[in-house]
Amino acid sequence: GSYNNSIIDNLIISNTSGVSYLWGPVNVRNLTINSGGGSFGANGQAVNVSGTWTNNGTFTHGDNTVTFNGAADGSITGSNSTTFYNLTINKDASTNKVTLLKNTSVTNNLTMTTGDILLNNYNILLSATGSVVSEDNDDRIYENGTNNGYIEAIRTLNSGANNNIAGIGLSINPVIGMGSTTIHRGHKAQIGTGGTSIFRYYDITPTTNSGLNATFRFSYFDAELNSQAESDFYFYRSTDLGLTWPGAYPPTTENYPSDWVQLAGIDAFSRWTVSNYLSDPLPIDLLSFTAKCKDQKVDLNWVTVSETNNDYFTLEKSIDGTYFEFLTNVKGKGAINTLSEYKYTDLHPYLGKAYY
């Protein structure tokens, strides 16, 4: 059969065999696809839903666009997951939302025009060509404080720039290719010995996960800050899905007005987040740190009394003591309770006064 209706309050598709096709765009309040042996084919036609999308059967998108509009909150539910081609959130106000009550897939574009998506402990799966478009601080995909829904994207990451991967706010620039890489963007605040993170983290699982020497740009929204100061952000990495967070890594580059921080020299990926105080930012007891000029070079020397899970030291330098430039990483001793001496020579120091 076929449906060619312009305005429908409740559209219910119930066929026992074959495909019910659309032959024109439709506007509905609620749309229900029932089970029974048949299926619903959008046939490339636009479907506008102001309320609830319920899929208990089979939906064939036919490269169409489903748009959630109107002033009321909406939802995506049903006994079966739905795969959309284009899914657009275009509610009347940014305060309106669409709540997931079932895992949902998007093949092409998930466009956040006006309004939010609440994951509600469910997941959005982006296909190999799927991408989030036009997401911003006011119109975004988010989670409540206790649930752990995520957005998933699987991409092949080659060496060089991989910018804003799948539109979910991270860029990775490895020296060697990482191969097929599964990325989850979650929004549950991570918990450590020193406090909590912002409301965003990334699980990054590459095929090749060593010797990457990658630069990682982590983007976020102001609404995700969780009452934390951007200027005090550290990167934190967990290799056990958030159970422990050994060490803290200061950003090598930051752009707070544009809401991103960046870290260079990453050799492997797992779960990453940013925070002011997820764990002790200095897992060492520092006895001394000196800088001495010699033959147009600067010798840096420091001594630790003890170290706890200390992977490496990051050295930075600055002209004004406010904005620091990455200099190098120096390997730490891991866990040690005796004096340890370190040194590094800056072969290209600034002219005049400098801060290390």
Side-chain angles (χ1 to χ4, degrees):
S2 64
Y3 295 91
N4 186 12
N5 299 292
S6 56
I7 300 175
I8 303 172
D9 188 38
N10 293 292
L11 176 59
I12 301 174
I13 311 297
S14 293
N15 57 327
T16 57
S17 63
V19 182
S20 295
Y21 287 109
L22 284 180
W23 294 102
V26 294
N27 297 287
V28 303
R29 183 168 67 87
N30 299 311
L31 187 148
T32 301
I33 305 168
N34 283 333
S35 61
S39 64
F40 172 45
N43 199 30
Q45 302 297 323
V47 178
N48 300 312
V49 181
S50 61
T52 298
W53 172 286
T54 304
N55 182 16
N56 298 320
T58 302
F59 171 65
T60 305
H61 56 66
D63 295 352
N64 85 315
T65 297
V66 174
T67 299
F68 281 83
N69 57 12
D73 289 346
S75 62
I76 299 173
T77 186
S79 58
N80 294 334
S81 298
T82 299
T83 296
F84 297 100
Y85 182 71
N86 290 319
L87 176 61
T88 297
I89 309 302
N90 190 18
K91 306 297 286 184
D92 284 3
S94 294
T95 53
N96 297 136
K97 66 179 181 294
V98 174
T99 299
L100 295 191
L101 299 170
K102 195 70 177 179
N103 291 340
T104 300
S105 300
V106 177
T107 300
N108 194 42
N109 289 333
L110 170 51
T111 303
M112 305 298 297
T113 303
T114 305
D116 297 331
I117 292 179
L118 173 60
L119 293 171
N120 194 40
N121 220 27
Y122 291 95
N123 308 320
I124 295 174
L125 311 178
L126 301 174
S127 77
T129 55
S131 184
V132 177
V133 178
S134 299
E135 189 183 21
D136 58 30
N137 188 66
D138 296 322
D139 309 295
R140 61 191 178 92
I141 303 166
Y142 74 102
E143 185 61 285
N144 64 26
T146 58
N147 288 337
N148 204 21
Y150 56 79
I151 311 167
E152 178 182 281
I154 301 175
R155 295 291 188 273
T156 297
L157 302 185
N158 299 315
S159 61
N162 300 277
N163 295 325
N164 195 19
I165 300 165
I168 58 175
L170 80 164
S171 300
I172 300 176
N173 184 350
V175 171
I176 64 174
M178 296 165 58
S180 180
T181 302
T182 300
I183 301 168
H184 291 170
R185 188 185 96 184
H187 295 276
K188 182 178 180 179
Q190 302 299 289
I191 300 174
T193 57
T196 61
S197 73
I198 69 169
F199 292 118
R200 179 179 290 212
Y201 69 88
Y202 291 99
D203 282 330
I204 305 168
T205 309
T207 301
T208 300
N209 199 25
S210 63
L212 300 176
N213 191 18
T215 298
F216 174 33
R217 179 173 295 184
F218 186 115
S219 298
Y220 52 87
F221 295 124
D222 288 343
E224 298 169 343
L225 289 178
N226 196 15
S227 301
Q228 300 192 30
E230 295 169 88
S231 58
D232 294 329
F233 273 167
Y234 283 83
F235 278 86
Y236 291 87
R237 180 191 178 201
S238 173
T239 59
D240 52 16
L241 297 178
L243 293 177
T244 59
W245 299 88
Y249 312 92
T252 51
T253 312
E254 59 278 320
N255 189 329
Y256 302 132
S258 297
D259 292 331
W260 59 260
V261 289
Q262 187 166 284
L263 182 63
I266 297 175
D267 283 330
F269 284 96
S270 51
R271 178 169 293 187
W272 288 84
T273 190
V274 295
S275 173
N276 294 166
Y277 41 72
L278 194 58
S279 62
D280 186 355
L282 286 177
I284 63 168
D285 184 358
L286 185 67
L287 179 64
S288 64
F289 183 92
T290 61
K292 295 181 179 180
C293 296
K294 182 181 179 181
D295 299 329
Q296 297 184 335
K297 294 177 277 190
V298 175
D299 291 329
L300 303 174
N301 294 272
W302 65 101
V303 179
T304 63
V305 175
S306 65
E307 302 178 29
T308 303
N309 295 326
N310 181 32
D311 189 7
Y312 58 84
F313 298 89
T314 296
L315 297 179
E316 299 180 334
K317 61 182 179 179
S318 171
I319 294 175
D320 57 10
T322 300
Y323 297 98
F324 282 81
E325 175 188 4
F326 174 76
L327 186 58
T328 190
N329 289 328
V330 176
K331 187 67 177 177
K333 297 289 182 63
I336 190 170
N337 290 312
T338 58
L339 292 180
S340 299
E341 298 182 356
Y342 297 89
K343 61 183 179 180
Y344 179 81
T345 299
D346 184 2
L347 300 177
H348 305 285
Y350 296 133
L351 295 176
K353 182 185 292 187
Y355 299 83
Y356 290 88

